[in-house]
Amino acid sequence: SQQLLKSTEIIESFMIAANIEVGKALLDKELPVLLRTLIGPNNSNIKNLNARLEEFDIQPLRGPFDYRRLVRDINKNPLKDYLTLQTLRSIGKAIYEPNQSGHFCFGPKVKTYCHFTAPIRRYPDLVVHRILESVFENTVSPYSYEDLILEGLVSSKRELDAQHAEMDSNKLMKSMWAENQIGNSFDGEIFDITESSIIVKLDNKVELSVPYNNLVHNSQIKVNESKTVVKAGSYVYKIGDKMRVSILSADRVSKNIVAKEDRYKENVSSCEKEM
């Protein structure tokens, strides 16, 4: 419900405020702190993202701190999943470090954001709790600046490892599901385009790879530079198009699910952009 969403937003706001204020309190005492930092997009990333946005008739970014408006626009767009992924890719990844590099999502003035509110599930939060405990007990901090550089490197790496493990686990479960669906047909949506295939996402979020030779129209294949449109002769496949596919194979090791197009949705007139 709307009320639940509002309450969630309030709680998240309190958590963010706590993370910022705890970091500030410790830095005010001239103690090194393990901070959560994110530099944000560079001009090249913004330029590349804007090129994608213009293809989908979305107002381009006016600058690095126009992302808040962009998120609102994307949330109203039927291609929300695809556009969100492209937006996140343009921003980069946050890391843990004791340097006050700032966090892009909170603006240039916020230099004290740390992770404090989840010590039972995140090690960096536990590090901050230990530093805070030393303040309450009036003892020496258990971490030097050099210690926190190492802790930041290890925690940033572990975070990536956990993300990859989660993605691999999800892909494995999807591959196991697809093993029992070989030969069956499903309606999906073109979610991504690569040099060799079209990626179709089903309603259950399973992603299938449709190689170009498995398309109904599979001759004279041309992919545009931004990989949002594929032309097969006079026929067009583009991000967001509906496609009916049937599953051909599923591999638990590679976690790749291969399908073929069952039916082409007439959409020739929708592509008016130059390849």
Side-chain angles (χ1 to χ4, degrees):
S1 68
Q2 188 64 36
Q3 185 176 4
L4 177 62
L5 292 175
K6 186 64 178 177
S7 65
T8 301
E9 184 179 331
I10 291 172
I11 292 170
E12 289 178 347
S13 297
F14 279 134
M15 292 172 66
I16 291 170
N19 288 334
I20 293 171
E21 290 305 314
V22 167
K24 182 177 184 301
L26 293 174
L27 288 167
D28 284 347
K29 292 184 177 295
E30 299 184 348
L31 291 170
V33 185
L34 188 60
L35 299 170
R36 182 70 164 172
T37 70
L38 176 60
I39 301 300
N42 56 37
N43 290 334
S44 176
N45 287 349
I46 292 177
K47 182 179 178 181
N48 291 336
L49 178 60
N50 277 342
R52 294 284 180 95
L53 297 176
E54 288 176 351
E55 283 193 60
F56 297 99
D57 298 321
I58 295 177
Q59 181 182 343
L61 292 165
R62 295 184 294 269
F65 293 100
D66 196 24
Y67 273 80
R68 187 179 297 274
R69 186 273 308 163
L70 175 60
V71 170
R72 290 197 300 267
D73 291 348
I74 287 175
N75 284 334
K76 302 172 186 175
N77 195 289
L79 299 179
K80 175 183 174 181
D81 288 350
Y82 172 79
L83 293 169
T84 297
L85 179 60
Q86 302 307 316
T87 300
L88 290 174
R89 285 175 175 171
S90 75
I91 294 174
K93 293 185 179 295
I95 62 171
Y96 293 102
E97 62 174 355
N99 300 319
Q100 296 184 54
S101 304
H103 197 295
F104 169 74
C105 292
F106 305 122
K109 293 183 179 180
V110 176
K111 303 281 188 179
T112 64
Y113 183 72
C114 68
H115 272 169
F116 157 79
T117 54
I120 63 171
R121 66 179 178 86
R122 258 189 330 228
Y123 189 74
D125 300 64
L126 185 59
V127 170
V128 173
H129 274 248
R130 287 170 176 165
I131 300 171
L132 194 61
E133 185 178 31
S134 72
V135 173
F136 292 150
E137 296 181 352
N138 198 26
T139 58
V140 176
S141 172
Y143 300 98
S144 67
Y145 180 84
E146 290 73 19
D147 292 333
L148 292 179
I149 291 176
L150 179 59
E151 293 289 358
L153 290 171
V154 173
S155 291
S156 298
K157 176 65 166 56
R158 291 290 180 267
E159 181 179 47
L160 283 176
D161 290 343
Q163 289 173 354
H164 291 154
E166 181 181 5
M167 288 189 291
D168 281 347
S169 177
N170 287 336
K171 288 180 179 179
L172 176 60
M173 294 299 104
K174 291 173 180 178
S175 298
M176 293 172 65
W177 171 84
E179 286 178 345
N180 297 315
Q181 304 296 330
I182 292 175
N184 292 339
S185 297
F186 301 90
D187 289 317
E189 182 178 284
I190 296 178
F191 178 71
D192 204 0
I193 290 170
T194 73
E195 290 291 349
S196 59
S197 63
I198 288 175
I199 308 302
V200 176
K201 181 180 284 190
L202 306 183
D203 289 342
N204 61 1
K205 304 301 181 182
V206 171
E207 294 177 14
L208 317 172
S209 175
V210 182
Y212 293 140
N213 59 359
N214 287 352
L215 296 173
V216 171
H217 305 283
N218 55 21
S219 63
Q220 298 177 308
I221 298 293
K222 292 182 180 180
V223 182
N224 70 338
E225 185 177 354
S226 60
K227 294 185 176 62
T228 55
V229 178
V230 175
K231 273 189 175 181
S234 61
Y235 295 90
V236 173
Y237 301 85
K238 62 184 182 64
I239 299 294
D241 277 356
K242 303 299 181 183
M243 183 185 287
R244 187 164 183 80
V245 296
S246 60
I247 297 176
L248 297 179
S249 65
D251 187 341
R252 294 191 190 192
V253 177
S254 67
K255 302 174 184 66
N256 190 34
I257 306 169
V258 178
K260 70 172 183 176
E261 182 186 15
D262 273 356
R263 186 178 69 242
Y264 176 76
K265 179 177 169 55
E266 291 297 335
N267 200 23
V268 177
S269 62
S270 68
C271 181
E272 300 174 352
K273 302 183 183 298
E274 293 295 325
M275 297 295 287

mmCIF file with all atom_site columns, all heavy atoms in Angstrom, residues 141-153:
data_model
loop_
_atom_site.group_PDB
_atom_site.id
_atom_site.type_symbol
_atom_site.label_atom_id
_atom_site.label_alt_id
_atom_site.label_comp_id
_atom_site.label_asym_id
_atom_site.label_entity_id
_atom_site.label_seq_id
_atom_site.pdbx_PDB_ins_code
_atom_site.Cartn_x
_atom_site.Cartn_y
_atom_site.Cartn_z
_atom_site.occupancy
_atom_site.B_iso_or_equiv
_atom_site.pdbx_formal_charge
_atom_site.auth_seq_id
_atom_site.auth_comp_id
_atom_site.auth_asym_id
_atom_site.auth_atom_id
_atom_site.pdbx_PDB_model_num
ATOM 1   N N   . SER A 1 141 ? 41.077 3.419  19.854 1.00 0.00 ? 141 SER A N   1
ATOM 2   C CA  . SER A 1 141 ? 40.371 2.769  18.739 1.00 0.00 ? 141 SER A CA  1
ATOM 3   C C   . SER A 1 141 ? 41.127 1.526  18.294 1.00 0.00 ? 141 SER A C   1
ATOM 4   O O   . SER A 1 141 ? 42.364 1.532  18.220 1.00 0.00 ? 141 SER A O   1
ATOM 5   C CB  . SER A 1 141 ? 40.237 3.740  17.557 1.00 0.00 ? 141 SER A CB  1
ATOM 6   O OG  . SER A 1 141 ? 39.720 3.061  16.419 1.00 0.00 ? 141 SER A OG  1
ATOM 7   N N   . PRO A 1 142 ? 40.407 0.441  18.020 1.00 0.00 ? 142 PRO A N   1
ATOM 8   C CA  . PRO A 1 142 ? 41.076 -0.790 17.590 1.00 0.00 ? 142 PRO A CA  1
ATOM 9   C C   . PRO A 1 142 ? 41.627 -0.729 16.172 1.00 0.00 ? 142 PRO A C   1
ATOM 10  O O   . PRO A 1 142 ? 42.284 -1.667 15.722 1.00 0.00 ? 142 PRO A O   1
ATOM 11  C CB  . PRO A 1 142 ? 39.963 -1.838 17.693 1.00 0.00 ? 142 PRO A CB  1
ATOM 12  C CG  . PRO A 1 142 ? 38.693 -1.069 17.504 1.00 0.00 ? 142 PRO A CG  1
ATOM 13  C CD  . PRO A 1 142 ? 38.944 0.268  18.133 1.00 0.00 ? 142 PRO A CD  1
ATOM 14  N N   . TYR A 1 143 ? 41.356 0.372  15.440 1.00 0.00 ? 143 TYR A N   1
ATOM 15  C CA  . TYR A 1 143 ? 41.784 0.472  14.047 1.00 0.00 ? 143 TYR A CA  1
ATOM 16  C C   . TYR A 1 143 ? 42.554 1.761  13.798 1.00 0.00 ? 143 TYR A C   1
ATOM 17  O O   . TYR A 1 143 ? 42.100 2.849  14.147 1.00 0.00 ? 143 TYR A O   1
ATOM 18  C CB  . TYR A 1 143 ? 40.579 0.436  13.101 1.00 0.00 ? 143 TYR A CB  1
ATOM 19  C CG  . TYR A 1 143 ? 39.750 -0.817 13.188 1.00 0.00 ? 143 TYR A CG  1
ATOM 20  C CD1 . TYR A 1 143 ? 38.583 -0.847 13.950 1.00 0.00 ? 143 TYR A CD1 1
ATOM 21  C CD2 . TYR A 1 143 ? 40.131 -1.969 12.501 1.00 0.00 ? 143 TYR A CD2 1
ATOM 22  C CE1 . TYR A 1 143 ? 37.818 -1.997 14.022 1.00 0.00 ? 143 TYR A CE1 1
ATOM 23  C CE2 . TYR A 1 143 ? 39.368 -3.128 12.575 1.00 0.00 ? 143 TYR A CE2 1
ATOM 24  C CZ  . TYR A 1 143 ? 38.213 -3.136 13.343 1.00 0.00 ? 143 TYR A CZ  1
ATOM 25  O OH  . TYR A 1 143 ? 37.457 -4.275 13.421 1.00 0.00 ? 143 TYR A OH  1
ATOM 26  N N   . SER A 1 144 ? 43.710 1.616  13.162 1.00 0.00 ? 144 SER A N   1
ATOM 27  C CA  . SER A 1 144 ? 44.432 2.782  12.660 1.00 0.00 ? 144 SER A CA  1
ATOM 28  C C   . SER A 1 144 ? 43.942 3.094  11.253 1.00 0.00 ? 144 SER A C   1
ATOM 29  O O   . SER A 1 144 ? 43.188 2.317  10.654 1.00 0.00 ? 144 SER A O   1
ATOM 30  C CB  . SER A 1 144 ? 45.937 2.498  12.624 1.00 0.00 ? 144 SER A CB  1
ATOM 31  O OG  . SER A 1 144 ? 46.218 1.491  11.646 1.00 0.00 ? 144 SER A OG  1
ATOM 32  N N   . TYR A 1 145 ? 44.383 4.222  10.718 1.00 0.00 ? 145 TYR A N   1
ATOM 33  C CA  . TYR A 1 145 ? 44.030 4.587  9.347  1.00 0.00 ? 145 TYR A CA  1
ATOM 34  C C   . TYR A 1 145 ? 44.497 3.508  8.375  1.00 0.00 ? 145 TYR A C   1
ATOM 35  O O   . TYR A 1 145 ? 43.759 3.108  7.466  1.00 0.00 ? 145 TYR A O   1
ATOM 36  C CB  . TYR A 1 145 ? 44.662 5.935  8.998  1.00 0.00 ? 145 TYR A CB  1
ATOM 37  C CG  . TYR A 1 145 ? 44.371 6.419  7.601  1.00 0.00 ? 145 TYR A CG  1
ATOM 38  C CD1 . TYR A 1 145 ? 43.197 7.110  7.312  1.00 0.00 ? 145 TYR A CD1 1
ATOM 39  C CD2 . TYR A 1 145 ? 45.280 6.188  6.558  1.00 0.00 ? 145 TYR A CD2 1
ATOM 40  C CE1 . TYR A 1 145 ? 42.926 7.554  6.017  1.00 0.00 ? 145 TYR A CE1 1
ATOM 41  C CE2 . TYR A 1 145 ? 45.008 6.623  5.276  1.00 0.00 ? 145 TYR A CE2 1
ATOM 42  C CZ  . TYR A 1 145 ? 43.835 7.307  5.009  1.00 0.00 ? 145 TYR A CZ  1
ATOM 43  O OH  . TYR A 1 145 ? 43.584 7.735  3.732  1.00 0.00 ? 145 TYR A OH  1
ATOM 44  N N   . GLU A 1 146 ? 45.709 3.000  8.594  1.00 0.00 ? 146 GLU A N   1
ATOM 45  C CA  . GLU A 1 146 ? 46.251 1.953  7.719  1.00 0.00 ? 146 GLU A CA  1
ATOM 46  C C   . GLU A 1 146 ? 45.436 0.669  7.829  1.00 0.00 ? 146 GLU A C   1
ATOM 47  O O   . GLU A 1 146 ? 45.215 -0.032 6.827  1.00 0.00 ? 146 GLU A O   1
ATOM 48  C CB  . GLU A 1 146 ? 47.715 1.677  8.069  1.00 0.00 ? 146 GLU A CB  1
ATOM 49  C CG  . GLU A 1 146 ? 48.680 2.792  7.695  1.00 0.00 ? 146 GLU A CG  1
ATOM 50  C CD  . GLU A 1 146 ? 48.570 4.008  8.603  1.00 0.00 ? 146 GLU A CD  1
ATOM 51  O OE1 . GLU A 1 146 ? 48.022 3.874  9.719  1.00 0.00 ? 146 GLU A OE1 1
ATOM 52  O OE2 . GLU A 1 146 ? 49.027 5.101  8.188  1.00 0.00 ? 146 GLU A OE2 1
ATOM 53  N N   . ASP A 1 147 ? 44.995 0.346  9.050  1.00 0.00 ? 147 ASP A N   1
ATOM 54  C CA  . ASP A 1 147 ? 44.146 -0.843 9.237  1.00 0.00 ? 147 ASP A CA  1
ATOM 55  C C   . ASP A 1 147 ? 42.875 -0.727 8.404  1.00 0.00 ? 147 ASP A C   1
ATOM 56  O O   . ASP A 1 147 ? 42.423 -1.698 7.791  1.00 0.00 ? 147 ASP A O   1
ATOM 57  C CB  . ASP A 1 147 ? 43.758 -1.008 10.710 1.00 0.00 ? 147 ASP A CB  1
ATOM 58  C CG  . ASP A 1 147 ? 44.930 -1.371 11.595 1.00 0.00 ? 147 ASP A CG  1
ATOM 59  O OD1 . ASP A 1 147 ? 45.886 -1.973 11.083 1.00 0.00 ? 147 ASP A OD1 1
ATOM 60  O OD2 . ASP A 1 147 ? 44.883 -1.038 12.801 1.00 0.00 ? 147 ASP A OD2 1
ATOM 61  N N   . LEU A 1 148 ? 42.294 0.468  8.388  1.00 0.00 ? 148 LEU A N   1
ATOM 62  C CA  . LEU A 1 148 ? 41.018 0.661  7.697  1.00 0.00 ? 148 LEU A CA  1
ATOM 63  C C   . LEU A 1 148 ? 41.178 0.650  6.180  1.00 0.00 ? 148 LEU A C   1
ATOM 64  O O   . LEU A 1 148 ? 40.225 0.315  5.468  1.00 0.00 ? 148 LEU A O   1
ATOM 65  C CB  . LEU A 1 148 ? 40.361 1.966  8.159  1.00 0.00 ? 148 LEU A CB  1
ATOM 66  C CG  . LEU A 1 148 ? 39.877 1.962  9.617  1.00 0.00 ? 148 LEU A CG  1
ATOM 67  C CD1 . LEU A 1 148 ? 39.255 3.305  9.977  1.00 0.00 ? 148 LEU A CD1 1
ATOM 68  C CD2 . LEU A 1 148 ? 38.881 0.844  9.864  1.00 0.00 ? 148 LEU A CD2 1
ATOM 69  N N   . ILE A 1 149 ? 42.346 1.014  5.694  1.00 0.00 ? 149 ILE A N   1
ATOM 70  C CA  . ILE A 1 149 ? 42.591 0.872  4.252  1.00 0.00 ? 149 ILE A CA  1
ATOM 71  C C   . ILE A 1 149 ? 42.479 -0.595 3.863  1.00 0.00 ? 149 ILE A C   1
ATOM 72  O O   . ILE A 1 149 ? 41.811 -0.953 2.883  1.00 0.00 ? 149 ILE A O   1
ATOM 73  C CB  . ILE A 1 149 ? 43.979 1.427  3.866  1.00 0.00 ? 149 ILE A CB  1
ATOM 74  C CG1 . ILE A 1 149 ? 44.001 2.952  4.008  1.00 0.00 ? 149 ILE A CG1 1
ATOM 75  C CG2 . ILE A 1 149 ? 44.342 1.017  2.435  1.00 0.00 ? 149 ILE A CG2 1
ATOM 76  C CD1 . ILE A 1 149 ? 45.363 3.572  3.727  1.00 0.00 ? 149 ILE A CD1 1
ATOM 77  N N   . LEU A 1 150 ? 43.122 -1.466 4.663  1.00 0.00 ? 150 LEU A N   1
ATOM 78  C CA  . LEU A 1 150 ? 43.069 -2.906 4.399  1.00 0.00 ? 150 LEU A CA  1
ATOM 79  C C   . LEU A 1 150 ? 41.658 -3.447 4.589  1.00 0.00 ? 150 LEU A C   1
ATOM 80  O O   . LEU A 1 150 ? 41.159 -4.219 3.758  1.00 0.00 ? 150 LEU A O   1
ATOM 81  C CB  . LEU A 1 150 ? 44.046 -3.642 5.309  1.00 0.00 ? 150 LEU A CB  1
ATOM 82  C CG  . LEU A 1 150 ? 44.081 -5.172 5.155  1.00 0.00 ? 150 LEU A CG  1
ATOM 83  C CD1 . LEU A 1 150 ? 44.450 -5.563 3.730  1.00 0.00 ? 150 LEU A CD1 1
ATOM 84  C CD2 . LEU A 1 150 ? 45.053 -5.792 6.149  1.00 0.00 ? 150 LEU A CD2 1
ATOM 85  N N   . GLU A 1 151 ? 41.002 -3.042 5.678  1.00 0.00 ? 151 GLU A N   1
ATOM 86  C CA  . GLU A 1 151 ? 39.629 -3.497 5.932  1.00 0.00 ? 151 GLU A CA  1
ATOM 87  C C   . GLU A 1 151 ? 38.712 -3.084 4.777  1.00 0.00 ? 151 GLU A C   1
ATOM 88  O O   . GLU A 1 151 ? 37.823 -3.842 4.364  1.00 0.00 ? 151 GLU A O   1
ATOM 89  C CB  . GLU A 1 151 ? 39.097 -2.915 7.244  1.00 0.00 ? 151 GLU A CB  1
ATOM 90  C CG  . GLU A 1 151 ? 39.774 -3.411 8.506  1.00 0.00 ? 151 GLU A CG  1
ATOM 91  C CD  . GLU A 1 151 ? 39.442 -4.847 8.819  1.00 0.00 ? 151 GLU A CD  1
ATOM 92  O OE1 . GLU A 1 151 ? 38.649 -5.482 8.100  1.00 0.00 ? 151 GLU A OE1 1
ATOM 93  O OE2 . GLU A 1 151 ? 40.007 -5.365 9.806  1.00 0.00 ? 151 GLU A OE2 1
ATOM 94  N N   . GLY A 1 152 ? 38.930 -1.887 4.253  1.00 0.00 ? 152 GLY A N   1
ATOM 95  C CA  . GLY A 1 152 ? 38.108 -1.405 3.144  1.00 0.00 ? 152 GLY A CA  1
ATOM 96  C C   . GLY A 1 152 ? 38.318 -2.231 1.891  1.00 0.00 ? 152 GLY A C   1
ATOM 97  O O   . GLY A 1 152 ? 37.349 -2.581 1.200  1.00 0.00 ? 152 GLY A O   1
ATOM 98  N N   . LEU A 1 153 ? 39.559 -2.544 1.584  1.00 0.00 ? 153 LEU A N   1
ATOM 99  C CA  . LEU A 1 153 ? 39.852 -3.353 0.402  1.00 0.00 ? 153 LEU A CA  1
ATOM 100 C C   . LEU A 1 153 ? 39.220 -4.735 0.510  1.00 0.00 ? 153 LEU A C   1
ATOM 101 O O   . LEU A 1 153 ? 38.596 -5.231 -0.438 1.00 0.00 ? 153 LEU A O   1
ATOM 102 C CB  . LEU A 1 153 ? 41.371 -3.487 0.218  1.00 0.00 ? 153 LEU A CB  1
ATOM 103 C CG  . LEU A 1 153 ? 42.114 -2.224 -0.207 1.00 0.00 ? 153 LEU A CG  1
ATOM 104 C CD1 . LEU A 1 153 ? 43.628 -2.442 -0.140 1.00 0.00 ? 153 LEU A CD1 1
ATOM 105 C CD2 . LEU A 1 153 ? 41.706 -1.808 -1.619 1.00 0.00 ? 153 LEU A CD2 1
#
